[in-house]
Amino acid sequence: MNPKIILRRVFPRALAATVVFLPFLVTSCQKEAEPALTSNTAVPSGVTLNTTFKNATALSTFLGTTVKYSAPISLYKKSNITITGLSITGGSVPCIQLTGCTNIHIKKCKITGTTNYGILIGSGCSNILIDSCLINNVATGVFAVSCPAGQIRIQHNQFQNMKGPYPKGAFVQFSNVGGPGNRIQYNVCENIQGQSNPEDGISIYKSNGLSTDPILVLGNQIRGGGPSTTGSGITIGDLGGSYVTVRNNTVVNSGYWGMQIAGGNHMTITGNTIYSAAFKWSHAGVGCANFSGLPAYNLTISYNRVKWMCGDPADLKWYSPVPTSIEKDGIYSILPTGWSTNTFGASISATVLPSTMITWQ
């Protein structure tokens, strides 16, 4: 979640079971205000940028060639543009900002070095594809906000070291995104302790897919979270929403939570792998509750493999003697469909993800 929060705990949790029922267990967010359009350099309409690569020092590993350096880019009501082969350092503005744009493809770019968003997909955008980019050392990687027509696709990228601070700090956040064709899939994401200040890895806030075409969070690899005690690997249903499916993702040491449903309807977390060692900010592997203030129903958490060690002192202090950690794989205040199909205490470790994840440097 980029936006966030409040009501992390309402009363002590003193149950020693791996899987427990508890009210008010999920952290919730409040959306950050949509940023104003910045006055960056605009790219001419209808052109493909920098398809010849001449700089011998940038991104040769994953491009097989190199890129051209560019100032930040801002597009307003533009269509049918491909942005490729650029290395963009944002400074204090988004590296790339889109507003009211359609059919924009951003690929094979390095997005880096901003205290703002790496890529901001703003009001009224649709049919935006971001793929095969390296996005690192930014406040939030990709933020899509107020895009009701959909087709926002973030795929096959590598993200490293989201700087935050709260309410920023996600690799990808959707806020008030709707319509068909919305995908966050097959991205590789890592936050390194001491080099990052993340919140949620992937956050779906107040967004609505379709019954026939849900927002899909698929096949992502996420490692690293904390020291925030409100962040997660993946959170959906934040402040409501509907028709979101999280499937076949792997999260490791992702912060306070592994994954959570925080409200909404027709929300599904299925077939994922969730692991954490004990950290002072690690709370629980997977959870389900309603923090939206709106009706919550048709919530499913099924067929996940979970092994989560809780090291949060606020949890451990209720035990006597106080342990150094406990296993807390799953908790809920609303029992989701499929709960008994999950494998809690799974035989997994941090090695479910490779030691080197970010290979495009």
Side-chain angles (χ1 to χ4, degrees):
M1 312 173 218
N2 172 336
K4 213 122 253 130
I5 299 7
I6 349 241
L7 235 94
R8 182 167 81 91
R9 294 188 177 83
V10 207
F11 61 86
R13 302 197 247 301
L15 299 180
T18 297
V19 183
V20 297
F21 166 89
L22 290 170
F24 304 112
L25 54 96
V26 180
T27 56
S28 181
C29 301
Q30 294 171 348
K31 187 182 80 67
E32 187 172 14
E34 184 175 354
L37 182 68
T38 59
S39 56
N40 302 338
T41 303
V43 178
S45 177
V47 299
T48 298
L49 302 178
N50 301 311
T51 55
T52 59
F53 307 107
K54 298 180 180 179
N55 189 313
T57 62
L59 298 184
S60 59
T61 300
F62 94 100
L63 284 175
T65 180
T66 49
V67 303
K68 181 177 179 179
Y69 290 94
S70 169
I73 293 169
S74 182
L75 300 180
Y76 179 70
K77 292 188 175 180
K78 301 295 184 181
S79 300
N80 306 317
I81 293 175
T82 297
I83 299 171
T84 185
L86 298 180
S87 181
I88 304 173
T89 300
S92 61
V93 299
C95 295
I96 298 176
Q97 178 168 338
L98 310 176
T99 305
C101 294
T102 61
N103 193 25
I104 305 294
H105 187 184
I106 301 168
K107 65 177 182 178
K108 289 191 174 181
C109 290
K110 181 177 182 180
I111 305 298
T112 190
T114 178
T115 57
N116 213 303
Y117 303 100
I119 300 175
L120 172 58
I121 304 170
S123 292
C125 288
S126 63
N127 194 14
I128 308 297
L129 172 60
I130 300 170
D131 79 280
S132 303
C133 292
L134 171 63
I135 302 174
N136 68 357
N137 296 314
V138 299
T140 289
V142 178
F143 183 38
V145 56
S146 301
C147 300
Q151 299 184 63
I152 308 299
R153 291 155 293 156
I154 319 299
Q155 60 189 40
H156 301 290
N157 302 285
Q158 293 193 4
F159 293 85
Q160 186 180 46
N161 291 339
M162 302 298 103
K163 298 289 193 175
Y166 165 80
K168 296 182 175 68
F171 297 116
V172 182
Q173 183 178 41
F174 282 2
S175 175
N176 289 277
V177 171
N182 295 302
R183 303 288 185 266
I184 303 170
Q185 58 189 6
Y186 305 114
N187 300 286
V188 175
C189 312
E190 182 173 34
N191 287 308
I192 298 172
Q193 283 299 313
Q195 300 178 29
S196 59
N197 185 23
E199 276 294 317
D200 294 325
I202 295 174
S203 168
I204 308 297
Y205 173 95
K206 212 172 181 179
S207 295
N208 297 277
L210 305 179
S211 61
T212 55
D213 189 0
I215 295 171
L216 187 59
V217 180
L218 172 67
N220 300 282
Q221 298 181 346
I222 298 172
R223 181 165 63 203
S228 167
T229 54
T230 51
S232 71
I234 300 173
T235 289
I236 63 175
D238 203 358
L239 265 288
S242 62
Y243 294 104
V244 180
T245 296
V246 177
R247 186 170 71 238
N248 295 350
N249 303 274
T250 301
V251 300
V252 170
N253 298 338
S254 60
Y256 189 66
W257 283 97
M259 298 183 187
Q260 61 175 338
I261 296 174
N265 63 82
H266 297 91
M267 300 287 172
T268 299
I269 293 176
T270 188
N272 302 281
T273 300
I274 302 167
Y275 172 83
S276 185
F279 298 91
K280 63 182 180 180
W281 51 78
S282 59
H283 171 56
V286 65
C288 184
N290 181 18
F291 231 68
S292 67
L294 302 170
Y297 53 94
N298 285 353
L299 309 179
T300 299
I301 297 179
S302 62
Y303 298 104
N304 302 286
R305 296 190 302 155
V306 188
K307 178 78 171 183
W308 190 277
M309 300 308 297
C310 169
D312 185 351
D315 290 330
L316 300 179
K317 70 180 182 180
W318 303 106
Y319 296 85
S320 181
V322 176
T324 57
S325 66
I326 58 171
E327 185 169 347
K328 189 180 286 188
D329 294 329
I331 55 179
Y332 60 83
S333 62
I334 298 175
L335 177 61
T337 300
W339 191 253
S340 64
T341 68
N342 296 289
T343 301
F344 296 117
S347 297
I348 55 177
S349 69
T351 60
V352 295
L353 289 179
S355 58
T356 300
M357 293 177 61
I358 306 303
T359 57
W360 303 339
Q361 299 290 347

